[in-house]
Amino acid sequence: MTTAEKSTAIIAAVNEYAAIYAAVKAPATPATFNDPIVQGMLKGFTEKIAAIIRDA
């Protein structure tokens, strides 16, 4: 994967994470679920970015 392709993939991952994060933080989601969900999302996001960088 070229640097440009990696950049595009990382931007897409950031946008995806932002959209999901906004949905989770929406008023309809009970506050007690926010932290565990966001922590799980952050772990998945970090792993996704690492995979892009490693070309995995």
Short mmCIF file of all heavy atoms in Angstrom, two decimals:
data_model
loop_
_atom_site.label_atom_id
_atom_site.label_comp_id
_atom_site.label_asym_id
_atom_site.label_seq_id
_atom_site.Cartn_x
_atom_site.Cartn_y
_atom_site.Cartn_z
N MET A 1 0.86 -1.17 0.00
CA MET A 1 0.00 0.00 0.00
C MET A 1 0.91 1.24 0.00
O MET A 1 1.84 1.32 0.79
CB MET A 1 -0.90 -0.03 1.25
CG MET A 1 -1.98 1.01 1.27
SD MET A 1 -3.04 0.97 2.75
CE MET A 1 -4.00 -0.49 2.50
N THR A 2 0.61 2.16 -0.87
CA THR A 2 1.41 3.38 -0.95
C THR A 2 1.08 4.31 0.21
O THR A 2 0.07 4.13 0.91
CB THR A 2 1.13 4.14 -2.26
OG1 THR A 2 -0.20 4.65 -2.21
CG2 THR A 2 1.33 3.27 -3.48
N THR A 3 1.92 5.30 0.41
CA THR A 3 1.69 6.28 1.47
C THR A 3 0.36 7.01 1.26
O THR A 3 -0.39 7.23 2.21
CB THR A 3 2.85 7.29 1.53
OG1 THR A 3 4.06 6.57 1.76
CG2 THR A 3 2.64 8.31 2.62
N ALA A 4 0.07 7.34 0.01
CA ALA A 4 -1.20 8.03 -0.28
C ALA A 4 -2.39 7.12 0.04
O ALA A 4 -3.40 7.59 0.60
CB ALA A 4 -1.24 8.46 -1.74
N GLU A 5 -2.28 5.85 -0.29
CA GLU A 5 -3.37 4.90 0.02
C GLU A 5 -3.53 4.74 1.53
O GLU A 5 -4.65 4.66 2.03
CB GLU A 5 -3.08 3.55 -0.64
CG GLU A 5 -3.20 3.57 -2.14
CD GLU A 5 -2.70 2.29 -2.80
OE1 GLU A 5 -1.75 1.67 -2.25
OE2 GLU A 5 -3.24 1.93 -3.85
N LYS A 6 -2.40 4.68 2.24
CA LYS A 6 -2.47 4.58 3.69
C LYS A 6 -3.13 5.82 4.29
O LYS A 6 -3.96 5.72 5.18
CB LYS A 6 -1.07 4.41 4.29
CG LYS A 6 -0.48 3.04 4.08
CD LYS A 6 0.88 2.93 4.74
CE LYS A 6 1.48 1.57 4.49
NZ LYS A 6 2.76 1.39 5.19
N SER A 7 -2.77 6.99 3.78
CA SER A 7 -3.36 8.24 4.27
C SER A 7 -4.87 8.24 4.04
O SER A 7 -5.64 8.61 4.94
CB SER A 7 -2.73 9.44 3.58
OG SER A 7 -1.38 9.56 3.91
N THR A 8 -5.28 7.83 2.86
CA THR A 8 -6.71 7.77 2.54
C THR A 8 -7.42 6.78 3.45
O THR A 8 -8.52 7.06 3.96
CB THR A 8 -6.90 7.38 1.06
OG1 THR A 8 -6.26 8.37 0.26
CG2 THR A 8 -8.37 7.29 0.69
N ALA A 9 -6.81 5.63 3.69
CA ALA A 9 -7.41 4.62 4.56
C ALA A 9 -7.51 5.12 5.99
O ALA A 9 -8.51 4.88 6.68
CB ALA A 9 -6.62 3.32 4.49
N ILE A 10 -6.49 5.82 6.46
CA ILE A 10 -6.52 6.35 7.83
C ILE A 10 -7.59 7.43 7.96
O ILE A 10 -8.34 7.45 8.94
CB ILE A 10 -5.13 6.88 8.24
CG1 ILE A 10 -4.17 5.69 8.43
CG2 ILE A 10 -5.21 7.73 9.50
CD1 ILE A 10 -2.72 6.07 8.62
N ILE A 11 -7.70 8.29 6.97
CA ILE A 11 -8.75 9.33 7.00
C ILE A 11 -10.13 8.68 7.02
O ILE A 11 -11.02 9.10 7.77
CB ILE A 11 -8.59 10.29 5.81
CG1 ILE A 11 -7.33 11.15 6.01
CG2 ILE A 11 -9.83 11.18 5.65
CD1 ILE A 11 -6.90 11.93 4.80
N ALA A 12 -10.32 7.64 6.23
CA ALA A 12 -11.60 6.93 6.21
C ALA A 12 -11.89 6.31 7.58
O ALA A 12 -13.03 6.36 8.07
CB ALA A 12 -11.61 5.87 5.12
N ALA A 13 -10.87 5.73 8.21
CA ALA A 13 -11.04 5.13 9.53
C ALA A 13 -11.40 6.20 10.57
O ALA A 13 -12.26 5.98 11.42
CB ALA A 13 -9.78 4.39 9.94
N VAL A 14 -10.75 7.34 10.50
CA VAL A 14 -11.05 8.44 11.43
C VAL A 14 -12.49 8.91 11.24
O VAL A 14 -13.23 9.11 12.22
CB VAL A 14 -10.06 9.61 11.24
CG1 VAL A 14 -10.53 10.85 11.99
CG2 VAL A 14 -8.67 9.21 11.68
N ASN A 15 -12.92 9.07 10.00
CA ASN A 15 -14.30 9.50 9.73
C ASN A 15 -15.30 8.47 10.21
O ASN A 15 -16.35 8.83 10.77
CB ASN A 15 -14.48 9.79 8.24
CG ASN A 15 -13.74 11.03 7.81
OD1 ASN A 15 -13.47 11.92 8.61
ND2 ASN A 15 -13.40 11.10 6.54
N GLU A 16 -15.00 7.19 10.01
CA GLU A 16 -15.88 6.12 10.48
C GLU A 16 -15.98 6.16 12.00
O GLU A 16 -17.07 6.09 12.56
CB GLU A 16 -15.34 4.77 10.02
CG GLU A 16 -16.12 3.59 10.53
CD GLU A 16 -15.49 2.25 10.18
OE1 GLU A 16 -14.29 2.22 9.82
OE2 GLU A 16 -16.19 1.24 10.27
N TYR A 17 -14.84 6.29 12.67
CA TYR A 17 -14.82 6.35 14.12
C TYR A 17 -15.62 7.55 14.62
O TYR A 17 -16.40 7.44 15.56
CB TYR A 17 -13.38 6.43 14.63
CG TYR A 17 -13.26 6.53 16.13
CD1 TYR A 17 -13.34 5.40 16.93
CD2 TYR A 17 -13.10 7.76 16.76
CE1 TYR A 17 -13.24 5.48 18.30
CE2 TYR A 17 -13.01 7.85 18.14
CZ TYR A 17 -13.08 6.71 18.91
OH TYR A 17 -13.00 6.80 20.27
N ALA A 18 -15.43 8.70 13.98
CA ALA A 18 -16.15 9.91 14.39
C ALA A 18 -17.66 9.75 14.27
O ALA A 18 -18.41 10.17 15.15
CB ALA A 18 -15.67 11.10 13.57
N ALA A 19 -18.10 9.11 13.20
CA ALA A 19 -19.54 8.91 13.00
C ALA A 19 -20.11 7.97 14.06
O ALA A 19 -21.18 8.23 14.63
CB ALA A 19 -19.79 8.35 11.60
N ILE A 20 -19.40 6.89 14.34
CA ILE A 20 -19.87 5.94 15.36
C ILE A 20 -19.84 6.59 16.74
O ILE A 20 -20.78 6.45 17.53
CB ILE A 20 -19.04 4.64 15.32
CG1 ILE A 20 -19.25 3.92 13.99
CG2 ILE A 20 -19.40 3.73 16.49
CD1 ILE A 20 -18.30 2.77 13.73
N TYR A 21 -18.77 7.32 17.01
CA TYR A 21 -18.64 8.01 18.30
C TYR A 21 -19.81 8.98 18.51
O TYR A 21 -20.40 9.03 19.59
CB TYR A 21 -17.31 8.75 18.37
CG TYR A 21 -17.06 9.44 19.68
CD1 TYR A 21 -16.55 8.74 20.76
CD2 TYR A 21 -17.32 10.80 19.83
CE1 TYR A 21 -16.31 9.37 21.97
CE2 TYR A 21 -17.09 11.44 21.04
CZ TYR A 21 -16.58 10.73 22.10
OH TYR A 21 -16.35 11.35 23.30
N ALA A 22 -20.15 9.73 17.48
CA ALA A 22 -21.27 10.67 17.58
C ALA A 22 -22.57 9.94 17.86
O ALA A 22 -23.40 10.40 18.66
CB ALA A 22 -21.38 11.50 16.31
N ALA A 23 -22.76 8.79 17.23
CA ALA A 23 -23.99 8.02 17.45
C ALA A 23 -24.04 7.48 18.88
O ALA A 23 -25.09 7.49 19.51
CB ALA A 23 -24.08 6.88 16.44
N VAL A 24 -22.90 7.03 19.38
CA VAL A 24 -22.86 6.49 20.74
C VAL A 24 -23.10 7.59 21.77
O VAL A 24 -23.77 7.38 22.77
CB VAL A 24 -21.49 5.80 21.01
CG1 VAL A 24 -21.29 5.50 22.48
CG2 VAL A 24 -21.39 4.52 20.20
N LYS A 25 -22.56 8.76 21.50
CA LYS A 25 -22.72 9.87 22.43
C LYS A 25 -24.08 10.57 22.30
O LYS A 25 -24.36 11.50 23.01
CB LYS A 25 -21.61 10.91 22.22
CG LYS A 25 -20.26 10.44 22.72
CD LYS A 25 -20.30 10.30 24.22
CE LYS A 25 -18.91 10.16 24.80
NZ LYS A 25 -18.90 10.12 26.24
N ALA A 26 -24.91 10.09 21.38
CA ALA A 26 -26.24 10.69 21.19
C ALA A 26 -27.06 10.53 22.48
O ALA A 26 -26.85 9.60 23.24
CB ALA A 26 -26.96 10.01 20.03
N PRO A 27 -27.98 11.43 22.70
CA PRO A 27 -28.79 11.39 23.93
C PRO A 27 -29.55 10.08 24.13
O PRO A 27 -29.87 9.73 25.26
CB PRO A 27 -29.76 12.56 23.76
CG PRO A 27 -29.11 13.47 22.79
CD PRO A 27 -28.29 12.59 21.88
N ALA A 28 -29.82 9.36 23.07
CA ALA A 28 -30.60 8.12 23.19
C ALA A 28 -29.79 6.99 23.84
O ALA A 28 -30.36 6.02 24.33
CB ALA A 28 -31.09 7.67 21.81
N THR A 29 -28.47 7.09 23.84
CA THR A 29 -27.64 6.04 24.44
C THR A 29 -27.52 6.30 25.94
O THR A 29 -27.10 7.38 26.34
CB THR A 29 -26.22 6.04 23.81
OG1 THR A 29 -26.35 5.89 22.41
CG2 THR A 29 -25.38 4.91 24.37
N PRO A 30 -27.88 5.31 26.76
CA PRO A 30 -27.76 5.51 28.20
C PRO A 30 -26.32 5.85 28.59
O PRO A 30 -25.38 5.22 28.09
CB PRO A 30 -28.17 4.16 28.79
CG PRO A 30 -28.99 3.51 27.72
CD PRO A 30 -28.45 4.01 26.42
N ALA A 31 -26.14 6.82 29.45
CA ALA A 31 -24.80 7.29 29.83
C ALA A 31 -23.93 6.17 30.39
O ALA A 31 -22.72 6.16 30.19
CB ALA A 31 -24.93 8.41 30.85
N THR A 32 -24.55 5.19 31.06
CA THR A 32 -23.76 4.10 31.65
C THR A 32 -23.07 3.24 30.59
O THR A 32 -22.11 2.56 30.87
CB THR A 32 -24.65 3.19 32.53
OG1 THR A 32 -25.76 2.73 31.75
CG2 THR A 32 -25.14 3.92 33.75
N PHE A 33 -23.57 3.27 29.36
CA PHE A 33 -22.96 2.49 28.28
C PHE A 33 -21.84 3.25 27.58
O PHE A 33 -21.02 2.65 26.90
CB PHE A 33 -24.00 2.10 27.23
CG PHE A 33 -25.05 1.15 27.72
CD1 PHE A 33 -26.30 1.15 27.15
CD2 PHE A 33 -24.80 0.25 28.74
CE1 PHE A 33 -27.28 0.27 27.56
CE2 PHE A 33 -25.76 -0.63 29.18
CZ PHE A 33 -27.01 -0.62 28.59
N ASN A 34 -21.81 4.55 27.71
CA ASN A 34 -20.88 5.36 26.94
C ASN A 34 -19.42 4.97 27.12
O ASN A 34 -18.71 4.73 26.14
CB ASN A 34 -21.05 6.85 27.25
CG ASN A 34 -22.27 7.43 26.56
OD1 ASN A 34 -22.85 6.84 25.67
ND2 ASN A 34 -22.65 8.61 26.99
N ASP A 35 -18.93 4.92 28.35
CA ASP A 35 -17.51 4.64 28.57
C ASP A 35 -17.08 3.27 28.04
O ASP A 35 -16.09 3.19 27.30
CB ASP A 35 -17.13 4.81 30.03
CG ASP A 35 -17.07 6.28 30.45
OD1 ASP A 35 -16.92 7.15 29.56
OD2 ASP A 35 -17.15 6.55 31.65
N PRO A 36 -17.76 2.18 28.39
CA PRO A 36 -17.33 0.88 27.86
C PRO A 36 -17.38 0.80 26.33
O PRO A 36 -16.48 0.24 25.70
CB PRO A 36 -18.30 -0.13 28.48
CG PRO A 36 -18.89 0.56 29.66
CD PRO A 36 -18.86 2.03 29.35
N ILE A 37 -18.41 1.39 25.74
CA ILE A 37 -18.53 1.36 24.28
C ILE A 37 -17.41 2.17 23.65
O ILE A 37 -16.75 1.72 22.71
CB ILE A 37 -19.91 1.88 23.83
CG1 ILE A 37 -21.00 0.89 24.23
CG2 ILE A 37 -19.93 2.11 22.32
CD1 ILE A 37 -22.42 1.39 24.03
N VAL A 38 -17.17 3.36 24.16
CA VAL A 38 -16.13 4.22 23.60
C VAL A 38 -14.76 3.58 23.78
O VAL A 38 -13.93 3.63 22.87
CB VAL A 38 -16.20 5.64 24.21
CG1 VAL A 38 -14.99 6.47 23.83
CG2 VAL A 38 -17.47 6.33 23.77
N GLN A 39 -14.51 2.97 24.92
CA GLN A 39 -13.22 2.30 25.13
C GLN A 39 -13.03 1.16 24.14
O GLN A 39 -11.94 0.98 23.59
CB GLN A 39 -13.10 1.79 26.57
CG GLN A 39 -12.95 2.89 27.59
CD GLN A 39 -11.73 3.76 27.33
OE1 GLN A 39 -10.65 3.28 27.04
NE2 GLN A 39 -11.92 5.06 27.43
N GLY A 40 -14.07 0.38 23.90
CA GLY A 40 -13.99 -0.70 22.92
C GLY A 40 -13.77 -0.16 21.52
O GLY A 40 -12.98 -0.71 20.74
N MET A 41 -14.46 0.93 21.20
CA MET A 41 -14.28 1.55 19.88
C MET A 41 -12.86 2.06 19.70
O MET A 41 -12.26 1.90 18.64
CB MET A 41 -15.25 2.71 19.71
CG MET A 41 -16.69 2.30 19.52
SD MET A 41 -17.80 3.72 19.53
CE MET A 41 -17.01 4.84 18.42
N LEU A 42 -12.31 2.68 20.74
CA LEU A 42 -10.95 3.21 20.67
C LEU A 42 -9.94 2.08 20.45
O LEU A 42 -9.02 2.22 19.65
CB LEU A 42 -10.62 3.99 21.93
CG LEU A 42 -9.27 4.69 21.96
CD1 LEU A 42 -9.12 5.64 20.77
CD2 LEU A 42 -9.09 5.45 23.26
N LYS A 43 -10.15 0.96 21.12
CA LYS A 43 -9.26 -0.20 20.94
C LYS A 43 -9.33 -0.68 19.50
O LYS A 43 -8.30 -0.91 18.85
CB LYS A 43 -9.66 -1.32 21.89
CG LYS A 43 -8.77 -2.55 21.80
CD LYS A 43 -9.21 -3.61 22.81
CE LYS A 43 -8.31 -4.80 22.80
NZ LYS A 43 -8.45 -5.63 21.60
N GLY A 44 -10.54 -0.83 18.97
CA GLY A 44 -10.70 -1.27 17.59
C GLY A 44 -10.12 -0.27 16.60
O GLY A 44 -9.48 -0.65 15.61
N PHE A 45 -10.32 1.00 16.87
CA PHE A 45 -9.79 2.06 16.01
C PHE A 45 -8.26 2.02 15.99
O PHE A 45 -7.64 2.08 14.93
CB PHE A 45 -10.29 3.41 16.53
CG PHE A 45 -9.73 4.60 15.81
CD1 PHE A 45 -10.08 4.86 14.50
CD2 PHE A 45 -8.87 5.47 16.45
CE1 PHE A 45 -9.57 5.97 13.82
CE2 PHE A 45 -8.37 6.58 15.79
CZ PHE A 45 -8.72 6.83 14.48
N THR A 46 -7.66 1.88 17.17
CA THR A 46 -6.20 1.81 17.27
C THR A 46 -5.67 0.61 16.50
O THR A 46 -4.68 0.72 15.77
CB THR A 46 -5.79 1.73 18.75
OG1 THR A 46 -6.32 2.86 19.44
CG2 THR A 46 -4.28 1.70 18.92
N GLU A 47 -6.33 -0.53 16.64
CA GLU A 47 -5.90 -1.75 15.93
C GLU A 47 -6.05 -1.57 14.41
O GLU A 47 -5.21 -2.03 13.64
CB GLU A 47 -6.69 -2.95 16.42
CG GLU A 47 -6.35 -3.34 17.84
CD GLU A 47 -7.28 -4.38 18.43
OE1 GLU A 47 -8.28 -4.77 17.77
OE2 GLU A 47 -7.03 -4.79 19.57
N LYS A 48 -7.11 -0.90 14.00
CA LYS A 48 -7.34 -0.68 12.57
C LYS A 48 -6.25 0.22 11.98
O LYS A 48 -5.71 -0.07 10.91
CB LYS A 48 -8.72 -0.05 12.36
CG LYS A 48 -9.14 0.07 10.93
CD LYS A 48 -10.59 0.55 10.85
CE LYS A 48 -11.17 0.30 9.49
NZ LYS A 48 -12.60 0.54 9.45
N ILE A 49 -5.91 1.29 12.67
CA ILE A 49 -4.86 2.20 12.19
C ILE A 49 -3.53 1.46 12.15
O ILE A 49 -2.76 1.58 11.18
CB ILE A 49 -4.76 3.45 13.09
CG1 ILE A 49 -6.06 4.26 13.05
CG2 ILE A 49 -3.56 4.31 12.68
CD1 ILE A 49 -6.46 4.77 11.68
N ALA A 50 -3.23 0.66 13.18
CA ALA A 50 -1.98 -0.10 13.20
C ALA A 50 -1.91 -1.07 12.02
O ALA A 50 -0.86 -1.23 11.38
CB ALA A 50 -1.84 -0.85 14.52
N ALA A 51 -3.03 -1.71 11.70
CA ALA A 51 -3.06 -2.64 10.57
C ALA A 51 -2.83 -1.91 9.25
O ALA A 51 -2.14 -2.44 8.36
CB ALA A 51 -4.41 -3.39 10.54
N ILE A 52 -3.38 -0.72 9.11
CA ILE A 52 -3.16 0.06 7.90
C ILE A 52 -1.67 0.40 7.76
O ILE A 52 -1.09 0.24 6.69
CB ILE A 52 -4.02 1.35 7.91
CG1 ILE A 52 -5.50 1.01 7.77
CG2 ILE A 52 -3.58 2.30 6.78
CD1 ILE A 52 -6.44 2.17 8.06
N ILE A 53 -1.08 0.83 8.83
CA ILE A 53 0.33 1.21 8.80
C ILE A 53 1.22 0.01 8.50
O ILE A 53 2.20 0.12 7.76
CB ILE A 53 0.73 1.90 10.14
CG1 ILE A 53 0.00 3.26 10.22
CG2 ILE A 53 2.24 2.09 10.24
CD1 ILE A 53 0.10 3.93 11.56
N ARG A 54 0.87 -1.16 9.06
CA ARG A 54 1.65 -2.38 8.84
C ARG A 54 1.37 -3.04 7.50
O ARG A 54 2.00 -4.04 7.16
CB ARG A 54 1.33 -3.42 9.93
CG ARG A 54 1.88 -3.16 11.27
CD ARG A 54 1.74 -4.39 12.19
NE ARG A 54 0.47 -5.08 12.06
CZ ARG A 54 -0.58 -4.91 12.85
NH1 ARG A 54 -0.54 -4.05 13.82
NH2 ARG A 54 -1.69 -5.58 12.66
N ASP A 55 0.38 -2.55 6.76
CA ASP A 55 -0.08 -3.18 5.52
C ASP A 55 -0.68 -4.56 5.77
O ASP A 55 -0.54 -5.47 4.96
CB ASP A 55 1.08 -3.34 4.51
CG ASP A 55 1.37 -2.07 3.74
OD1 ASP A 55 0.46 -1.27 3.58
OD2 ASP A 55 2.52 -1.93 3.30
N ALA A 56 -1.33 -4.70 6.90
CA ALA A 56 -1.94 -6.00 7.24
C ALA A 56 -3.33 -6.10 6.66
O ALA A 56 -4.00 -5.17 6.39
CB ALA A 56 -1.99 -6.16 8.73
#
